[in-house]
Amino acid sequence: MSQHTETLVIGAGPAGLTAGYLLSKNGRDVVVLERDPRQVGGISRTVSHNGFLFDIGGHRFFSKSKAVVDLWDELLPDDFIDRPRLSRIFYKGKYYAYPLKAFEALRNLGVLQSTACVLSYLYARARPIEQPKSFHDWVRNQFGERLFSIFFKTYTEKVWGMSCDAISADWAAQRIKGLDLGAAIRDALARSLGLKARPKPGEPVIKTLIESFRYPRRGPGMVWEAAAAKIAAQGGRVLLDRGVDGVSFDAATGIWTVSAIRGDGTRETYTARNLVSSAPVRELVDSITPRPLSTFQARALQYRDFLTVALIAKVREDFPDNWIYIHDPSVMVGRVQNFRSWSPEMVPDDAYTCLGLEYFCFEGDGLWTMADEGLVALAKAEIGKIGLIAPDDVVDACVVRQPKAYPVYDESYRDNVATVRLELERDFPTLHLVGRNGMHKYNNQDHAMMTAMLTVENILAGYRRHDIWRVNEDAEYTESGFSGADEALTSERLVPRKVA
Ligand SMILES: Cc1cc2nc3c(=O)[nH]c(=O)nc-3n(C[C@H](O)[C@H](O)[C@H](O)COP(=O)(O)OP(=O)(O)OC[C@H]3O[C@@H](n4cnc5c(N)ncnc54)[C@H](O)[C@@H]3O)c2cc1C
């Protein structure tokens, strides 16, 4: 027996829950199906282990969009706290403030290395690579070869598991946007001299220099648990332990049939008029009947996976950073999160600390398949080598694996996504792709939410009023000035905007 709903949403992460919340708030019938058997929140969930709380990475709540910030406040009115941001880079046994402090960096690098950095920067500015294609080209043009090799190469290659020559320049342009070396040096000098580098009114805030952020006092999962509860209170349904593995569209009736499998092997079927998907594009396309022609392109999309080893240890000497980037090539760990600095409530006992050692990997590789005991042993040895805690002080540990943490921006991703998108929008006007893996966009919660917010407006309007692909990485949305699905489908604007 199938159950009918007006809109079925795949995935109870920030995008799916935003859609579910706004639809149910507008009195619409909605069902959200989530594969996870225990909790909502997707990559933005909060894990609990023996009373210690931690994120999948640390999740800052920052958005340029007032609509998104207002929605966070609506979902969780009383539990956001303001947190100072402190992060450093660990490289060859030394710590560098991030953003850089000029005099400290000069002292750590030494006069020769610092001079070489400046000369290589000047050379790169005078002789830039025309039309940079790779991450390496792009960063070398902006910062010079020497700074690229010290502050970008190792960490980026740890994160992506591939050479910086194989990573698209788009990624650098998106993630390092707004950071020009001149501004960074001015900022670094002001910090070194103890002057606060506040942007002047109207001056854009550089993305990577933001000094404080909002955070739910018990982690990001709080927001998404609250959203799920509000959906239920508004008459919608959020159902866990339902992995969607088949969707078919009947063009004659305009109805979607969705099949979901549960952990015990039982199957459920739902029918719906609208289908909103935050599932990874590759998986969604593979599950659609009739099979899309762009299945080949969807299958070419790649993902980077991620695991956290949370180490719980007695505190001897605390450190104030929220996280530390580990650029040092002698250890495999990419980043260390200090969850007590995110919020004191993440740790139930002041005598202990909880550090999250983050390893970037591919599903099925040596790290991913290593037994938990092996990973904990590796993490203890590496944290000892870095010197943040003594391995013998670790009293408990927990490993969390996160598949498809990052959609990969390789050379062909843009064309592949464009092909899939064009076909799905043409053949299935009531199918709405939202969110991070749902649109194969390497973005934060605010972007995922904004795409869902505009999708809900489209569903309420009954036509594709907004082109959600125009939501940019900072969750800003430019009104495109056109309306109607047909017009949008024939518009030039359907070709994804060049990010660089
Ligand atoms: C290490 C790391 C650090 C980050 N830090 C920040 C940060 O500081 N600030 C910030 O704002 N963002 C941050 N992000 C990004 C943030 O996690 C994502 O942008 C956000 O979670 C995306 O929301 P989403 O709903 O699109 O996808 P997801 O969070 O991936 O949720 C998708 C949900 O769909 C479910 N699902 C998938 N397929 C199916 C299926 N077939 N059937 C049923 N359910 C399915 C999944 O189980 C999941 O629950 C970070 C991400 C990572 C990896």
Side-chain angles (χ1 to χ4, degrees):
M1 260 278 287
S2 66
Q3 308 175 49
H4 185 75
T5 179
E6 184 190 0
T7 301
L8 189 132
V9 179
I10 305 175
L17 290 172
T18 297
Y21 174 71
L22 293 175
L23 284 167
S24 55
K25 188 179 168 187
N26 279 280
R28 297 302 185 97
D29 185 28
V30 59
V31 171
V32 182
L33 299 183
E34 168 55 51
R35 178 187 284 143
D36 193 299
R38 282 177 300 276
Q39 63 184 129
V40 297
I43 305 172
S44 305
R45 68 191 180 279
T46 298
V47 178
S48 171
H49 174 76
N50 294 334
F52 289 83
L53 303 176
F54 56 91
D55 301 6
I56 311 305
H59 276 67
R60 287 186 288 154
F61 281 68
F62 172 78
S63 184
K64 286 185 177 173
S65 159
K66 183 174 179 311
V68 168
V69 175
D70 288 349
L71 187 50
W72 282 331
D73 287 335
E74 186 174 321
L75 292 171
L76 199 71
D78 303 318
D79 294 296
F80 274 105
I81 50 178
D82 275 313
R83 299 302 295 163
R85 172 200 163 140
L86 180 65
S87 51
R88 283 183 292 171
I89 293 171
F90 181 75
Y91 176 73
K92 295 217 165 147
K94 293 194 171 127
Y95 287 96
Y96 295 78
Y98 183 80
L100 290 173
K101 284 187 177 166
F103 296 129
E104 177 199 75
L106 286 176
R107 197 173 53 239
N108 280 352
L109 288 173
V111 179
L112 282 180
Q113 181 77 287
S114 303
T115 311
C117 287
V118 172
L119 290 177
S120 97
Y121 167 70
L122 294 174
Y123 179 77
R125 298 309 280 185
R127 307 274 304 269
I129 296 169
E130 300 286 329
Q131 296 183 330
K133 284 201 176 62
S134 67
F135 178 89
H136 183 174
D137 294 347
W138 194 93
V139 176
R140 178 259 176 219
N141 274 1
Q142 297 291 316
F143 301 102
E145 187 68 32
R146 192 61 75 119
L147 281 171
F148 162 75
S149 66
I150 297 174
F151 289 116
F152 294 90
K153 185 178 186 305
T154 327
Y155 182 72
T156 308
E157 291 184 352
K158 276 186 192 179
V159 172
W160 295 104
M162 58 171 116
S163 157
C164 289
D165 294 311
I167 300 170
S168 141
D170 279 5
W171 184 81
Q174 178 185 327
R175 301 307 288 190
I176 314 172
K177 185 172 50 179
L179 185 64
D180 81 73
L181 199 62
I185 289 170
R186 280 195 299 281
D187 186 83
L189 279 171
R191 284 157 188 275
S192 300
L193 296 171
L195 306 171
K196 200 90 177 127
R198 289 242 173 269
K200 296 188 189 81
E203 203 174 84
V205 180
I206 295 170
K207 196 173 182 176
T208 53
L209 303 187
I210 295 157
E211 289 182 355
S212 69
F213 57 87
R214 300 174 80 213
Y215 190 70
R217 58 184 178 81
R218 290 172 64 78
M222 257 189 124
V223 175
W224 304 114
E225 298 289 342
K230 285 183 191 241
I231 292 171
Q234 287 168 175
R237 283 183 292 164
V238 180
L239 305 175
L240 299 177
D241 189 23
R242 269 90 172 169
V244 172
D245 59 357
V247 302
S248 61
F249 183 65
D250 182 343
T253 59
I255 294 290
W256 288 95
T257 301
V258 174
S259 181
I261 184 112
R262 306 202 56 186
D264 62 6
T266 55
R267 198 163 266 295
E268 289 178 354
T269 309
Y270 297 80
T271 53
R273 188 152 287 282
N274 303 300
L275 184 60
V276 175
S277 173
S278 66
V281 175
R282 191 168 82 187
E283 289 179 8
L284 174 80
V285 171
D286 244 349
S287 72
I288 299 179
T289 311
R291 181 163 294 292
L293 293 170
S294 57
T295 301
F296 176 78
Q297 282 80 3
R299 284 187 182 160
L301 295 174
Q302 297 184 65
Y303 303 88
R304 184 71 166 154
D305 311 291
F306 172 96
L307 63 87
T308 294
V309 184
L311 297 178
I312 295 157
K314 286 182 237 152
V315 186
R316 292 196 198 278
E317 212 181 326
D318 203 8
F319 59 99
D321 307 61
N322 311 101
W323 67 91
I324 297 177
Y325 298 102
I326 310 296
H327 287 221
D328 202 294
S330 70
V331 286
M332 292 169 83
V333 61
R335 200 166 48 182
V336 176
Q337 299 287 346
N338 179 12
F339 291 108
R340 209 155 89 142
S341 280
W342 284 81
S343 166
E345 288 189 53
M346 302 295 273
V347 173
D349 182 337
D350 278 352
Y352 294 92
T353 189
C354 176
L355 302 187
L357 278 75
E358 302 180 342
Y359 292 90
F360 307 95
C361 46
F362 289 112
E363 222 175 323
D365 74 7
L367 269 176
W368 183 267
T369 55
M370 193 185 288
D372 287 5
E373 302 77 56
L375 287 168
V376 171
L378 173 71
K380 280 167 73 172
E382 294 202 340
I383 205 73
K385 189 166 181 192
I386 296 167
L388 285 171
I389 45 177
D392 287 348
D393 286 344
V394 175
V395 295
D396 192 6
C398 170
V399 175
V400 176
R401 291 174 180 77
Q402 177 60 52
K404 299 190 175 55
Y406 300 93
V408 170
Y409 280 14
D410 56 21
E411 281 172 354
S412 56
Y413 93 94
R414 182 205 294 271
D415 291 342
N416 290 333
V417 171
T419 306
V420 170
R421 176 190 163 197
L422 206 64
E423 184 187 4
L424 298 189
E425 283 187 345
R426 187 192 60 215
D427 293 353
F428 308 116
T430 52
L431 170 62
H432 306 268
L433 306 189
V434 293
R436 178 164 161 124
N437 287 333
M439 298 171 72
H440 205 82
K441 286 211 166 196
Y442 175 18
N443 283 319
N444 281 340
Q445 291 172 100
D446 59 337
H447 178 281
M449 292 169 68
M450 177 70 90
T451 59
M453 288 155 80
L454 296 175
T455 292
V456 168
E457 289 190 18
N458 286 347
I459 290 173
L460 295 178
Y463 65 95
R464 222 177 274 271
R465 183 174 158 205
H466 304 282
D467 176 1
I468 62 151
W469 297 85
R470 294 178 71 89
V471 177
N472 71 23
E473 296 71 32
D474 292 321
E476 284 177 322
Y477 170 67
T478 328
E479 285 286 352
S480 49
F482 61 87
S483 61
D486 293 336
E487 194 182 331
L489 282 170
T490 53
S491 165
E492 269 288 298
R493 280 172 279 233
L494 270 187
V495 180
R497 183 173 58 87
K498 190 161 166 45
V499 183

